């Protein structure tokens, strides 16, 4: 089993990550970190001997990205079982709220679907005495575009058309731009109901990065956590957007793939310029994530993704979630727990949980650097 695990991780470092099952980032579930004793497969997530508790004790609070909530739940369950002296509580909210909490000094680390902005880094210096906030990539996945159009089971859209839909420029499902991409599909004159996130969201920002890279003429806004375009309807969280898409005829929205899978919501195939439109699947998203490059400097390991990729089978609308910590100046009372917990999540065993439960581990070459940074946190 150890050899198999090493082989899997070595393959990911070469950009050939193969994920069994659906690759998802999910925000469903409550904030109860102790609800599951095993992963989705029903097997124990990790042996207690694989986790080093070190001097961790007390309570470790964290909050942020809802996209990684279920992954964190799995990690917390296994970690707390092995380290009964420490309680880890991750509050699923949004990336924006997590960064605010981190820069207010109320959490040991924050989860974010996008890397820290320069102003957030500057703000973090007030909390990280002698240091600053840095980004540690932990898990990735696809952002699915879900739709609900009566009588339409399969739909292909490209970046310019998607951008025009979410920018309130295309208003009917039988628009010529949509018909051109879907020959042979009978499209109704139903009004398009486009749903977006109401709160600051890293998922929103990553969708904006895709639009900006792949359809700059149709999407003139800068990528941001706050939804920038006019029109459309807002809903709270990925769960809220998915619920609206599920309920409303003519709806379209964006959310982590798990929402589409769990609620049987149809997803758009994306025409990227490759020979065949690309489905929102784990394996297809992995091809984009595995090609990521480190764009951060020093100990910051923010990644640069190619949202405009035309590689065969590469799904371009992806996100990577980061754990945000201080490189220096972490609180003395929580630093042992932060290092111990993140050492586990970045370990072979912690990343193996992601493979076993339908997530995507960070490519091994990048993950090795994550572990080096964690070891040197002060």
């Amino acid at each position: 089993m150890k050899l198999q695990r090493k082989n899997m991780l070595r393959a990911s470092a070469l950009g050939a990550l193969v994920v069994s099952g659906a690759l998802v980032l999910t925000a469903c579930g409550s904030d109860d970190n102790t609800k599951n004793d095993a992963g989705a497969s029903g097997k124990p997530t990790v042996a207690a001997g694989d986790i080093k508790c070190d001097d961790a004790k007390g309570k470790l609070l964290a909050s942020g990205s809802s996209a990684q909530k279920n992954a964190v739940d799995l990690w917390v369950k296994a970690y707390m079982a092995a380290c009964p002296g420490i309680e880890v509580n991750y509050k699923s909210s949004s990336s924006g709220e997590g960064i605010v909490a981190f820069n207010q000094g109320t959490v040991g680390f924050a989860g974010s679907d996008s890397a820290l902005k320069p102003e957030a880094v500057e703000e973090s210096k007030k909390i990280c005495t002698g240091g600053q906030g840095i980004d540690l990539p932990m898990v990735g996945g696809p952002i699915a575009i879900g739709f609900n159009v009566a009588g339409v089971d399969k739909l292909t859209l490209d970046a310019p058309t998607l951008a025009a839909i979410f920018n309130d420029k295309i208003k009917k499902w039988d628009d010529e731009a949509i018909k051109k991409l879907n020959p042979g599909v009978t499209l109704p004159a139903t009004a398009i109901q486009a749903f977006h996130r109401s709160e600051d969201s890293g998922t929103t920002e990553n969708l904006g990065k895709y639009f900006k890279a792949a359809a700059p003429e149709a999407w003139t806004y800068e990528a941001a956590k706050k939804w920038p375009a006019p029109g459309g309807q807002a809903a709270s969280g990925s769960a809220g957007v998915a619920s609206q898409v599920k309920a409303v005829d003519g709806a379209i929205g964006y959310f982590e793939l798990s929402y589409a899978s769990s609620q049987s919501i149809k997803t758009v195939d994306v025409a990227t310029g490759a020979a065949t439109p690309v489905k929102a699947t784990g394996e297809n998203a992995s091809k984009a994530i595995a090609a990521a490059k480190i764009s951060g400097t020093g100990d910051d390991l923010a990644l640069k993704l190619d949202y405009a990729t035309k590689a065969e089978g590469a799904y371009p609308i992806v996100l990577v979630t980061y754990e945000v910590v201080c490189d220096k100046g972490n609180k003395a009372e929580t630093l042992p727990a932060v290092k111990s917990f993140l050492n586990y999540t970045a370990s072979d065993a912690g990343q193996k949980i992601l493979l076993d439960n339908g997530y995507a581990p960070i490519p091994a070459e990048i993950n090795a650097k994550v572990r080096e940074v964690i070891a040197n946190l002060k």
Side-chain angles (χ1 to χ4, degrees):
M1 180 61 73
K2 290 183 178 178
L3 179 59
Q4 180 184 21
R5 190 156 58 226
K6 290 179 180 177
N7 287 338
M8 285 181 176
L9 292 168
R10 185 179 298 114
S12 69
L14 296 173
L17 178 63
V18 178
V19 179
S20 59
L23 164 67
V24 295
L25 284 177
T26 175
C28 60
S30 70
D31 289 335
D32 179 1
N33 290 318
T34 62
K35 61 184 179 180
N36 294 318
D37 290 321
S41 64
K43 299 177 182 178
T45 53
V46 67
D50 293 329
I51 298 173
K52 295 181 180 179
C53 306
D54 296 326
D55 298 322
K57 58 183 178 181
K59 180 178 288 188
L60 174 60
L61 300 179
S63 69
S65 167
S66 61
Q68 65 173 16
K69 175 64 165 64
N70 275 11
V72 176
D73 278 351
L74 292 169
W75 283 329
V76 167
K77 183 63 182 180
Y79 180 79
M80 288 176 58
C83 303
I86 178 70
E87 178 186 347
V88 182
N89 189 304
Y90 182 82
K91 180 183 178 182
S92 172
S93 51
S94 69
S95 298
E97 292 177 59
I99 297 304
V100 169
F102 177 76
N103 281 339
Q104 290 176 340
T106 60
V107 295
F109 70 89
S112 179
D113 302 350
S114 57
L116 291 167
K117 294 289 189 294
E119 56 270 25
V121 174
E122 192 63 31
E123 184 72 15
S124 73
K125 294 178 182 179
K126 299 175 183 177
I127 296 299
C128 305
T129 306
Q132 64 182 45
I134 57 173
D135 303 286
L136 301 178
M138 282 294 169
V139 63
I143 301 171
I145 307 296
F147 70 94
N148 178 4
V149 182
V152 179
D153 294 323
K154 182 177 175 59
L155 185 67
T156 296
L157 297 172
D158 59 12
T161 307
L162 279 167
I165 287 172
F166 280 101
N167 198 18
D168 204 31
K169 301 296 185 183
I170 294 178
K171 300 178 183 291
K172 299 283 187 180
W173 280 109
D174 62 349
D175 188 276
E176 287 301 320
I178 301 177
K179 290 168 67 174
K180 184 178 180 180
L181 290 165
N182 294 275
V185 177
T186 301
L187 294 162
T190 307
I192 293 174
Q193 307 287 337
F195 289 90
H196 58 263
R197 293 278 289 270
S198 59
E199 76 286 3
D200 286 2
S201 163
T203 309
T204 294
E205 183 172 9
N206 280 278
L207 179 67
K209 289 179 180 178
Y210 163 69
F211 285 154
K212 191 69 175 176
E217 294 182 1
W219 194 261
T220 58
Y221 314 100
E222 292 302 318
K225 290 185 173 67
K226 184 177 179 63
W227 182 256
Q233 302 177 59
S236 179
S238 292
V241 174
S243 294
Q244 291 296 325
V245 172
K246 177 74 172 178
V248 178
D249 183 26
I252 188 170
Y254 59 94
F255 33 77
E256 292 75 34
L257 181 60
S258 64
Y259 291 97
S261 301
S262 64
Q263 299 187 46
S264 299
I265 298 173
K266 301 178 186 70
T267 62
V268 169
D269 293 349
V270 178
T272 64
T276 305
V278 185
K279 295 183 179 298
T281 69
E283 185 176 357
N284 292 342
S286 295
K287 293 174 183 178
I289 294 170
K293 306 296 183 183
I294 295 175
S295 60
T297 58
D299 286 340
D300 187 278
L301 300 180
L303 301 180
K304 181 176 178 60
L305 297 164
D306 183 7
Y307 294 95
T309 180
K310 296 181 181 179
E312 292 297 329
Y315 184 78
I317 318 175
V318 295
L319 61 78
V320 169
T321 64
Y322 301 91
E323 312 316 327
V324 176
V325 296
C326 297
D327 57 356
K328 300 176 184 177
N330 290 278
K331 292 181 180 179
E333 61 269 28
T334 57
L335 178 58
V338 168
K339 294 181 70 170
S340 173
F341 181 68
L342 295 184
N343 267 324
Y344 161 56
T345 65
S347 69
D348 288 357
Q351 292 289 297
K352 179 64 163 55
I353 282 183
L354 302 182
L355 281 172
D356 288 344
N357 291 277
Y359 296 82
I362 297 301
E365 183 178 356
I366 295 171
N367 194 49
K369 296 180 180 179
V370 172
R371 291 197 291 260
E372 289 177 7
V373 172
I374 293 170
N376 291 319
L377 295 179
K378 297 179 175 62

